[in-house]
Every structure is written in structure tokens, then in C-alpha cells.
Amino acid sequence: MLRIFEFLYKIRTFLLFVLLEFLAVWMIVSNNSPQGAAFFNSSNAWAGKALEKQSEVVQFFSLAEANASLNSENALLKQKLLRHQAQPDSLPLQIDSLLEVRYKFIGARVIANSLRLSQNYITLNKGEKDGVKPGMGVFNSQGVVGRIKSVSENYAVAFSLLNTSLMLSAKIKTSDVFGSIQWNGTTSSEAQLLYVPRHVKVSKGDTILTSGFNAVFPEGILIGQISEVAVNQKDPNYLALTVQLSTDFSRLTYVYLVENPAFQELDSLQNQSILTND
Amino acid sequence: MTSRNIISYSFLILTLVVVQLLFLKNLAVFGQAFGFLYLLGLLVLPRTLRTIPLMVLAFFLGLCIDVFFQTLGMHTAAATCFAFFKHIWLKISSPSGSYEESEELTLSQIGFVRYVSFALPLLFLHSLVFFVADHWGTGTFISVVSKSFFSSVFTFFLTILVQLLFFKRKRGIL
């Protein structure tokens, strides 16, 4: 027995090494599941505050740009609003669930962002207090940005679209064929559109939008344009489509969060009937 | 280690962490080379600091970086690995007796050639562990190796730059 203890004492450094590595790997694994280890995220108060201060300094230099993009978006929205303002009409219009406003929007500022890793995350300055919930979609005026992963009181962490574990439901605008957008971890301006069958006619420059099938994003938010069409080498039944992302991830400043209040209902209904839409 | 040493090392590590968090966070040269400058703190600690305390220090240092970088566990694993192999590699890479126990492992103390053979493989190991963890199951072997290689070389140059600019010659740090 003493021998064993002596032996263990001799290799104590190695044992500690194994233990610490095990802890680290456990952290990596649990962090990559959406629910786990929310505490250590930069959504925790201290890290969040520090990152916010840093981003305040950095973003001061891009204020003009942010202003311009907000301004142009405002103009666009004004124009759309004008179209929707009801004209006095003799025809009474029944409001039904089809016309109901289904989505809620929250504005937020990006305080930390990475793009060079293969699992990239974005930290936002809005949290539980402001009504942010895990699973909400994130986009900006350019296009889709990502999806909320975990939330603390004042901050939230989102999967960037540049995260190899995130998949979004997308469709091709011209043909309405849908597939899944996933990033393959190489270029920060390109993603892959998967599961588009080979018989579909696709050409370079086709616009890719969110499909609205998974109820995270409203239908029709821009994702990007097809930049390359090829046949999938691994599975010849599908096309390998490369999409030039419309969002410039290196200059994210302001984003919108979108929530579908009916998401729970839809999701549970689809689960009940064992439908899967991704 | 004297208490003065402890204070100056703590100051060095703290400064490196702040620099890492504020300036090197989003820096990736050509999208390939990352700078992990905080490793300089672990690198120059003298041999009198044994592997176990060094490893614990590395663990928490890595954790601290991870919390800010949204890479939970990756820097922790890599830095711990780095600390574990530091003394082993020192023993292998140097002829016996060529290092004094209390010697600081800085560029000016051990000379350029020994510094290269000591630091570069360790930095490469750290980058390799980090990118393997990052690319797990998704990336290709080539991209892991090329990122690790360029990152370790870039980090190596950063450590030399910092030492030339801010370390006093022959008189330890600061």
C-alpha cells in the first residue's frame, strides 16, 4: 500500500497535469453545448463590464459609420412605413393571426466579437433585464449575424454565424428551395448552403434569405449571395453551394435581436408530430 | 524567489494579460498568426518555480484569458500543457548543468540560440493544443498545423520584441 502511495507521490506532477487538462476539456465540451457553463462566459458581470469599456473606446472611432448606416436604414424603414399606413378605405379588414405582428425586436450593441477561430461568439450589452432570451435570432441592417446562446442579467452571448456549430434555415429567393446555412471554419466572409438537391437550378449571384421555417428569424432576412456552385463531392445527391455573406462580421457594432413569441408553441407542436426543420 | 521578484513577476504577468485582452484580442496576421503574448510571463519564470505551482498558475492564467475571449477551456488546456512540458523540455534541450537554477529564462540571460531552442517548440506546442481544441471535428489537419506554426512564430517574435524593448539587460526584469 505504501508503495502505491510512494509511486503516486512520485508522479504527482503528471497526475495534476492530467487533472487540470481534464478540467479544461470538460470546460470546452460543456461550453459548446448551448445550455452549459453560462457562468464563465463573458456575459458574467466583470468580464462584460471590462469588454464594454473596451468596446466603447474602439467604437468611438466607427461612430460616423454606424450613424450613416443607421440613418440609411431609418430612411428605408420610413419609406416602408409610408406604404403600410392605412388609407381610409370602405372595406373593413378583419385582423387575423396571419396579419398579426409575430416578432419582437430589441436593439443591442456588440461589445466583443471574434472571427478568426472556428467557434466564434459575440457578446452583446443587453441581457435578461432587457428581455433577451437564449435562442433569439441576431441580425443587423446588412443581414443575419447569429443566435443567442446564453444570457446573464446585463449581457448576452451569441453564436456568431461564423461558428461551425450553428445551422440556420435558409432559402434561395428565386426558387424558394430551402437548405441549411453552415460555416465551414475557413473564410470569414463565406458560408456553405447545404442540402440543396442536385436537380435545383442555381446560378451565381442568387440571393439567399432566411426561410422562416425554424421560427427563429422572420422570413426574408438577407444572408448573402451564392458565389460558387459545384456538386458535393461527398454526397453527389446535393449541391455544394458557397455563399458570400452580406454581413461584414469584422465591423459589427449595432445589431437587432428578434424573438418569435410563438416559438415555443410551434416548436412543441413540431416535436409532437416529430417534424424536424432546420 | 524574493518578495521583490514576486512583485515584479506579478506585475509583468498582469501587464501581459491586459495587453493580451485589449490589443491582441482581434489581431490575427493574415488570418493565420495569432499572438499569445501572455505566455511570455510563463516563459521567463525561473526554474526555482517548480512545475506544480507553475501549472496551477498557467491554469488560472489560461482561464482568465478564456473568460474574456469566449474560448472557455482552450487557452486553459494549452497553457497547462505548456507549463507541464516547460521543465521537461528544458531538461531535454539543454546539456546538463548549462542552466543555473535561479537563472531567469530571458533572452538576455540565456542568449539567442538557447532562447530559440527553448521557447519556439514550447510556443508551438501551446498553439497546437489550442488550435486542435478550436478546430475539433471541423477543421482540416493542414489548417491546424499552419495556424499553429505561424502563431507560434508570431508569438515568438512578439516575446523577443517585448524583451528587447522593456526588459533591462542582464539585470532581470523591469
Side-chain angles (χ1 to χ4, degrees):
Chain A
M1 198 62 196
L2 196 67
R3 278 268 178 95
I4 295 175
F5 282 128
E6 260 173 18
F7 176 70
L8 287 181
Y9 185 70
K10 237 182 209 169
I11 60 161
R12 65 192 186 279
T13 315
F14 181 71
L15 287 179
L16 182 69
F17 170 66
V18 171
L19 176 77
L20 291 180
E21 287 293 327
F22 180 78
L23 271 178
V25 170
W26 173 76
M27 279 193 277
I28 295 173
V29 172
S30 61
N31 186 43
N32 284 333
S33 78
Q35 290 81 23
F39 173 76
F40 282 116
N41 286 323
S42 62
S43 57
N44 88 46
W46 281 76
K49 227 171 249 171
L51 288 171
E52 193 169 25
K53 282 276 168 290
Q54 186 201 4
S55 79
E56 267 167 21
V57 176
V58 174
Q59 286 179 2
F60 175 77
F61 297 103
S62 59
L63 269 184
E65 221 166 285
N67 243 341
S69 92
L70 287 177
N71 196 7
S72 64
E73 202 189 352
N74 241 343
L76 196 75
L77 291 176
K78 274 241 169 80
Q79 204 180 350
K80 277 190 181 163
L81 191 67
L82 214 62
R83 214 178 300 155
H84 282 286
Q85 261 160 4
Q87 301 290 324
D89 199 342
S90 57
L91 177 75
L93 195 64
Q94 201 74 46
I95 298 285
D96 64 5
S97 64
L98 198 71
L99 295 170
E100 214 173 44
V101 178
R102 284 210 321 215
Y103 293 94
K104 276 193 211 158
F105 295 90
I106 302 172
R109 192 159 62 86
V110 174
I111 60 174
N113 180 20
S114 67
L115 19 124
R116 300 298 182 191
L117 303 171
S118 62
Q119 317 284 330
N120 294 305
Y121 297 99
I122 299 165
T123 310
L124 306 170
N125 72 339
K126 292 278 167 75
E128 220 165 339
K129 224 172 54 184
D130 312 281
V132 180
K133 289 174 201 143
M136 285 172 95
V138 184
F139 68 99
N140 69 3
S141 50
Q142 294 175 312
V144 168
V145 171
R147 193 172 175 186
I148 297 289
K149 171 180 171 243
S150 57
V151 178
S152 74
E153 201 189 334
N154 293 306
Y155 302 98
V157 172
F159 291 107
S160 170
L161 185 58
L162 306 181
N163 187 315
T164 47
S165 58
L166 184 71
M167 263 193 165
L168 288 177
S169 178
K171 68 171 183 186
I172 302 169
K173 191 183 179 186
T174 47
S175 57
D176 265 349
V177 174
F178 65 93
S180 292
I181 280 280
Q182 192 177 27
W183 190 51
N184 68 358
T186 47
T187 341
S188 65
S189 60
E190 283 175 345
Q192 270 56 45
L193 182 60
L194 310 172
Y195 311 128
V196 174
R198 208 171 149 181
H199 66 265
V200 176
K201 281 217 164 42
V202 182
S203 50
K204 241 176 162 179
D206 279 359
T207 308
I208 307 295
L209 306 171
T210 56
S211 73
F213 281 174
N214 62 1
V216 174
F217 286 103
E219 197 180 335
I221 291 182
L222 189 63
I223 295 176
Q225 287 184 327
I226 290 182
S227 63
E228 208 182 308
V229 183
V231 175
N232 195 332
Q233 294 297 329
K234 279 182 203 150
D235 189 351
N237 290 323
Y238 295 108
L239 291 169
L241 301 172
T242 309
V243 177
Q244 181 77 37
L245 296 172
S246 59
T247 311
D248 184 354
F249 282 87
S250 57
R251 308 168 175 232
L252 288 180
T253 41
Y254 290 90
V255 294
Y256 303 103
L257 307 176
V258 56
E259 186 199 9
N260 183 356
F263 179 73
Q264 291 288 342
E265 191 185 335
L266 263 173
D267 206 40
S268 66
L269 181 67
Q270 284 173 349
N271 277 339
Q272 267 173 40
S273 47
I274 325 177
L275 270 174
T276 44
N277 285 323
D278 18 67
Chain B
M1 268 204 278
T2 61
S3 61
R4 192 172 159 271
N5 262 346
I6 291 177
I7 292 172
S8 65
Y9 279 123
S10 316
F11 180 72
L12 171 72
I13 290 176
L14 208 68
T15 318
L16 288 173
V17 168
V18 169
V19 169
Q20 181 81 45
L21 295 180
L22 292 184
F23 299 109
L24 294 174
K25 185 170 190 300
N26 292 323
L27 180 72
V29 182
F30 302 120
Q32 293 273 326
F34 293 63
F36 302 123
L37 189 61
Y38 70 100
L39 291 174
L40 178 63
L42 298 176
L43 212 56
V44 299
L45 283 171
R47 297 187 76 184
T48 42
L49 192 70
R50 295 286 165 199
T51 305
I52 288 183
L54 183 69
M55 221 150 59
V56 174
L57 176 70
F59 183 83
F60 286 106
L61 192 61
L63 193 63
C64 179
I65 301 283
D66 274 335
V67 167
F68 283 91
F69 277 26
Q70 288 296 306
T71 54
L72 195 64
M74 295 179 201
H75 279 290
T76 316
T80 311
C81 194
F82 177 92
F84 178 68
F85 284 105
K86 184 184 162 192
H87 290 283
I88 295 176
W89 177 246
L90 260 180
K91 241 178 233 167
I92 298 171
S93 70
S94 62
S96 57
S98 65
Y99 286 100
E100 286 167 36
E101 278 277 303
S102 60
E103 195 175 36
E104 280 157 345
L105 298 163
T106 58
L107 183 62
S108 58
Q109 291 275 345
I110 66 175
F112 185 73
V113 177
R114 271 161 76 194
Y115 183 75
V116 173
S117 69
F118 155 64
L120 203 52
L122 282 173
L123 292 174
F124 180 70
L125 176 77
H126 170 275
S127 307
L128 194 65
V129 174
F130 178 79
F131 287 112
V132 165
D134 178 46
H135 282 64
W136 194 254
T138 55
T140 55
F141 178 72
I142 306 275
S143 85
V144 170
V145 172
S146 79
K147 272 188 176 176
S148 312
F149 177 74
F150 289 115
S151 299
S152 51
V153 170
F154 180 55
T155 308
F156 179 72
F157 280 117
L158 281 182
T159 63
I160 286 187
L161 199 69
V162 169
Q163 292 190 47
L164 289 180
L165 290 178
F166 300 110
F167 283 23
K168 270 187 195 160
R169 300 277 161 95
K170 299 284 179 195
R171 280 286 302 141
I173 59 159
L174 303 170

